[in-house]
Amino acid sequence: MSAWMAKLRDRAAKSPLRSAPASNGADAAGRRAPSPFWIMVQKEFGDHIRSWRFIILLGIVTLACVGSIYASVTALKNGGGAGGNGQTNAENSFLFLKMFTESDGSLPNFLTFLSFLAPLIGIAIGFDAVNSERNKGTLSRVISQPVHRDDFLNAKFVAGLLLIAVVVFSLGFLVMGMGLFTIGYPPSPEEFWRVVVTLLVTTVYVGLWLNLSLLFSVRFRQAATSALSGIAVWIFFLVFYGMIINLVGNVTIPSDPTDALAVMHQQDWLMLLQRLSPAYLFQEAASTLLLPDVRTLNPFITQDQAYLALNAPLPFGQSLLLVWPQVVAIVAETALSFAASYVAFMRQEIRSRS
Amino acid sequence: MEPAVIELSKLTKQYGEFTAVNALDLKIRPGEIYGLLGPNGAGKTTTILMMLGLTEPTSGTVRVCGIDATRSPLLVKRRVGYMPDDIGFYEDRSALDNLIYTARLNRIPLPEARDRAELLLQQVGLAHAAGKRVGAFSRGMRQRLGLADVLIKRPEIIILDEPTLGIDPEGVRELLLLIRELSRSEGLTVLLSSHHLHQVQQICDRVGLFVGGKLIASGDIESLSRQLDGDTRFEVEVDVRDPDGSVAGRIGSMDGVISIETSPSDALSPGANSVSTYRVTSDVELTSALALAVVEHGAPLLGLRPVRAGLDDIYHRYFEGGAAHERVDG
């Protein structure tokens, strides 16, 4: 991501329109003032960090992390983990990763917490990004400065994403550090990279929710409406989407259960529908990365498949390959919702407080 | 004549069926203070937004400092400071922070931004509140901070949308004086929109009357009143104690008097019922002759003042005229 940002910065510097010296002689000193885009990002970032909302959010997420660590460490101490799959070999070699996925049952594990809370972070950061500025009358003031209109939205997004990256990575590393401290078992490089990539995917996933809430904040004038819509979508995907898919599955079940082709066809369809949900995609991606034993993301349909499947952990590269489509899908959904909010924002007329 | 800094030609903006601005032509010369006058919903704000390139016109062109505002809004926004009618600041930041932020959005390096912001806060009389949160500011203070915010980029043109809205009379006077002073000392072109007529009258070089998306008259106040009346007329108000109406008859019989009306008496002044105020319209200057006539008649003369057509009158009469016109059309 840093490379991407460097490129952005570079482009901003090269753009002839932006680097043209200001008419009022601001650049007379020969020193280039930073572009308005980065000033906006800086301000947004500062605003987020100082806000109560962020502190509260950080509190919740930190508590969740500490709780999940406690649960997983207890589980590991009690011997092998409650949800062990009998592979003694794998159990020993990926002990460190188990910290993220095991639990003694008193509390959900880190991964579950993360997939539950991540959307909340995104929604909380983005839901009033545009409409609060509009209602306070600051939007028209900022837009009447020599800044590109899209820079405003981009700055909101980049600042939010940076903040999310900082939060997610610091929490991830915090859990790693605390785990190291309590179990005293160092991670192998592979385990380390698996965790890092998971955190990266999490950042992208939270970015998706950030974008969705940005879209709502462009669309709805009231911050409350926008927050509520964000939460509604979150709950829909978290709770109801799976139920609806099950319902659809029950209704469309082939009449002849021996017709393997029809059964497989129907299963494929259901998986496709299931994978429209970003929550499901993230769940698949993160669990594959943190559980090397996962060899395939498609359910076994026939007995043969289950019987013949190898039962050994995948190397890191193969796990990555397995989740690549999921990651791409999440990025695509992010891009889609950003494009929607971009179009909506560029078309809106900006008057003061209306 | 100098080239115009703001030049609108055939500017039209439609929202669906509704025409907010209708084939507007307007030229504003450098260094002048131009008042855009009109009732609410006349299309003033829409016109201003199009000047800044914040809204695209349906047809017509806007040129500001020779730049097409629709095509390259960024260049225009670099030279034009705009104060929206209900200006908002980041409430939990200090006045100084807000100004510095604006300055930095204009690519002014931080140290210089700080210097300029401090200087401007002094100029608008807010130096004592520089470190205070804007959330705690009063309406008048916000408006003055808004002016500083507009000026920090050192614009060539400033556009103020309803700058006097919601401030007390003393605050309005101070703000307008400040605007005039700044305009004169820095050679700024000022465009201000308002529906408060006398306020605009105090400081504007020229005004434009804007009704229903059309500029129905433009010019300085005298030429506007001439445009309105077609010929020169003089009006004098006479306060006289005249219980039986004989003074009125005497004045009415004078040469050159076109009409004489009884103005509504000032209800606030004590004993007003015994004093009559007559508004005398004539086609020649009659002030001294009137005084003489009243005194000769033996009535106590209590007041005598020539009436200049104020914007209020002009505005009012334009509306009357407009309404009458429509009636004829219909």
Side-chain angles (χ1 to χ4, degrees):
Chain A
M1 199 172 74
S2 66
W4 172 72
M5 264 164 44
K7 222 170 77 185
L8 245 175
R9 203 174 281 161
D10 208 40
R11 218 182 52 199
K14 274 183 196 149
S15 161
L17 194 65
R18 297 188 191 195
S19 59
S23 61
N24 49 21
D27 298 358
R31 197 153 41 100
R32 242 181 46 77
S35 95
F37 176 68
W38 290 105
I39 301 285
M40 283 195 269
V41 171
Q42 209 179 333
K43 186 204 151 276
E44 286 302 318
F45 199 76
D47 274 359
H48 280 314
I49 289 202
R50 284 187 221 179
S51 68
W52 271 103
R53 170 188 352 182
F54 179 67
I55 294 168
I56 292 169
L57 215 59
L58 208 62
I60 294 177
V61 179
T62 313
L63 270 182
C65 283
V66 172
S68 68
I69 279 273
Y70 175 79
S72 66
V73 167
T74 324
L76 291 178
K77 273 186 183 153
N78 290 348
N85 44 21
Q87 286 288 310
T88 43
N89 190 14
E91 237 173 57
N92 294 336
S93 57
F94 294 104
L95 185 65
F96 194 77
L97 286 182
K98 288 233 147 62
M99 245 172 31
F100 292 90
T101 54
E102 288 293 315
S103 163
D104 64 348
S106 61
L107 272 175
N109 60 40
F110 181 77
L111 190 61
T112 316
F113 258 130
L114 204 61
S115 60
F116 183 73
L117 287 177
L120 194 64
I121 304 176
I123 291 169
I125 287 176
F127 79 92
D128 67 346
V130 178
N131 50 17
S132 76
E133 295 235 10
R134 193 193 296 279
N135 294 337
K136 279 190 288 177
T138 45
L139 179 61
S140 64
R141 197 166 62 93
V142 170
I143 293 293
S144 67
Q145 305 305 327
V147 297
H148 292 283
R149 193 185 232 205
D150 48 345
D151 271 358
F152 180 80
L153 200 65
N154 294 348
K156 291 272 178 201
F157 173 60
V158 170
L161 200 66
L162 274 179
L163 188 77
I164 289 165
V166 169
V167 171
V168 167
F169 273 86
S170 54
L171 284 176
F173 287 135
L174 193 77
V175 169
M176 269 167 111
M178 270 166 57
L180 255 174
F181 197 69
T182 41
I183 65 173
Y185 184 85
S188 66
E190 184 187 331
E191 283 173 314
F192 176 76
W193 286 117
R194 275 176 184 272
V195 173
V196 168
V197 173
T198 311
L199 294 179
L200 208 64
V201 173
T202 311
T203 309
V204 174
Y205 177 59
V206 181
L208 167 67
W209 288 96
L210 171 70
N211 257 319
L212 213 59
S213 63
L214 268 181
L215 173 64
F216 289 133
S217 85
V218 171
R219 179 69 192 73
F220 299 114
R221 297 286 153 93
Q222 298 295 326
T225 317
S226 142
L228 211 60
S229 336
I231 291 172
V233 173
W234 170 44
I235 291 180
F236 174 75
F237 278 124
L238 206 70
V239 181
F240 297 109
Y241 195 70
M243 276 160 56
I244 293 172
I245 298 295
N246 277 341
L247 219 67
V248 172
N250 287 339
V251 172
T252 58
I253 204 156
S255 50
D256 178 13
T258 55
D259 184 356
L261 208 65
V263 172
M264 274 168 82
H265 191 69
Q266 191 241 5
Q267 279 292 334
D268 281 350
W269 255 106
L270 283 186
M271 281 316 286
L272 186 72
L273 281 180
Q274 190 77 267
R275 282 178 183 150
L276 288 180
S277 155
Y280 190 79
L281 287 174
F282 172 71
Q283 192 67 41
E284 280 189 335
S287 55
T288 310
L289 284 168
L290 287 181
L291 295 166
D293 300 333
V294 175
R295 296 190 61 96
T296 171
L297 288 168
N298 291 326
F300 299 130
I301 297 168
T302 63
Q303 288 284 323
D304 287 351
Q305 278 177 324
Y307 179 69
L308 291 172
L310 287 177
N311 213 352
L314 280 180
F316 176 47
Q318 292 304 311
S319 283
L320 206 55
L321 210 60
L322 194 60
V323 299
W324 194 243
Q326 269 75 7
V327 175
V328 170
I330 293 178
V331 171
E333 284 177 355
T334 310
L336 215 64
S337 61
F338 186 69
S341 48
Y342 191 91
V343 169
F345 184 68
M346 294 305 267
R347 282 187 175 186
Q348 272 176 354
E349 186 174 67
I350 294 159
R351 281 166 177 268
S352 52
R353 303 200 194 208
S354 58
Chain B
M1 189 176 141
E2 288 175 275
V5 279
I6 299 181
E7 197 176 346
L8 313 179
S9 59
K10 297 264 174 295
L11 193 66
T12 303
K13 175 74 185 179
Q14 286 173 320
Y15 291 103
E17 289 289 295
F18 175 68
T19 307
V21 178
N22 194 354
L24 178 65
D25 288 299
L26 180 65
K27 277 184 185 173
I28 296 174
R29 293 189 290 267
E32 75 175 340
I33 303 183
Y34 191 91
L36 207 54
L37 271 179
N40 295 331
K44 291 172 301 200
T45 304
T46 309
T47 310
I48 290 172
L49 290 182
M50 285 191 282
M51 284 180 201
L52 287 162
L54 292 179
T55 299
E56 281 187 25
T58 311
S59 66
T61 56
V62 185
R63 298 190 79 80
V64 179
C65 306
I67 304 161
D68 187 336
T70 316
R71 302 247 165 196
S72 31
L74 217 61
L75 294 176
V76 169
K77 286 193 274 186
R78 210 168 265 162
R79 292 159 172 233
V80 180
Y82 167 55
M83 185 163 103
D85 56 351
D86 196 0
I87 188 161
F89 293 97
Y90 294 105
E91 310 256 314
D92 46 355
R93 301 283 183 113
S94 72
L96 194 66
D97 281 350
N98 268 293
L99 286 188
I100 290 175
Y101 182 54
T102 308
R104 299 200 70 200
L105 287 182
N106 283 284
R107 294 172 168 271
I108 299 167
L110 187 59
E112 201 193 331
R114 186 175 293 277
D115 290 346
R116 278 198 205 182
E118 278 167 358
L119 188 76
L120 274 169
L121 281 174
Q122 222 158 38
Q123 265 182 324
V124 299
L126 285 175
H128 62 282
K132 225 165 115 178
R133 279 175 57 247
V134 180
F137 274 28
S138 71
R139 181 78 214 210
M141 286 164 90
R142 273 161 183 277
Q143 238 30 25
R144 280 188 282 169
L145 182 59
L147 201 58
D149 184 71
V150 162
L151 291 169
I152 199 159
K153 64 167 106 161
R154 304 227 166 116
E156 294 166 33
I157 303 169
I158 57 176
I159 298 178
L160 310 171
D161 198 354
E162 301 280 7
T164 57
L165 207 66
I167 325 180
D168 58 76
E170 190 54 24
V172 168
R173 211 180 61 85
E174 276 175 24
L175 188 77
L176 289 177
L177 279 179
L178 192 64
I179 292 172
R180 184 170 192 102
E181 216 171 275
L182 286 167
S183 154
R184 290 294 176 257
S185 63
E186 323 250 325
L188 283 174
T189 309
V190 180
L191 175 74
L192 62 92
S193 87
S194 181
H195 55 250
H196 283 278
L197 311 165
H198 7 259
Q199 295 171 359
V200 169
Q201 194 172 347
Q202 282 169 25
I203 65 162
C204 286
D205 299 319
R206 287 201 303 152
V207 292
L209 285 188
F210 207 63
V211 180
K214 277 187 180 161
L215 193 69
I216 56 176
S218 174
D220 54 27
I221 289 167
E222 263 173 51
S223 76
L224 272 191
S225 80
R226 264 203 303 280
Q227 270 182 38
L228 182 74
D229 290 334
D231 53 356
T232 39
R233 285 185 184 198
F234 298 91
E235 279 188 349
V236 182
E237 271 188 352
V238 188
D239 294 337
V240 67
R241 195 161 286 146
D242 182 25
D244 55 358
S246 60
V247 181
R250 170 76 201 266
I251 294 172
S253 66
M254 283 170 70
D255 279 345
V257 172
I258 294 167
S259 70
I260 172 163
E261 293 164 33
T262 310
S263 304
S265 57
D266 197 346
L268 282 179
S269 59
N273 43 9
S274 63
V275 178
S276 314
T277 303
Y278 297 122
R279 179 177 277 236
V280 181
T281 314
S282 58
D283 49 13
V284 287
E285 171 64 35
L286 270 184
T287 316
S288 56
L290 271 175
L292 200 65
V294 173
V295 172
E296 274 177 359
H297 192 75
L301 179 63
L302 299 172
L304 186 69
R305 55 192 169 274
V307 181
R308 292 217 172 73
L311 271 177
D312 256 335
D313 297 297
I314 296 171
Y315 195 54
H316 190 62
R317 276 190 266 173
Y318 262 108
F319 278 114
E320 277 182 340
H325 206 66
E326 273 160 31
R327 246 177 271 132
V328 171
D329 282 350

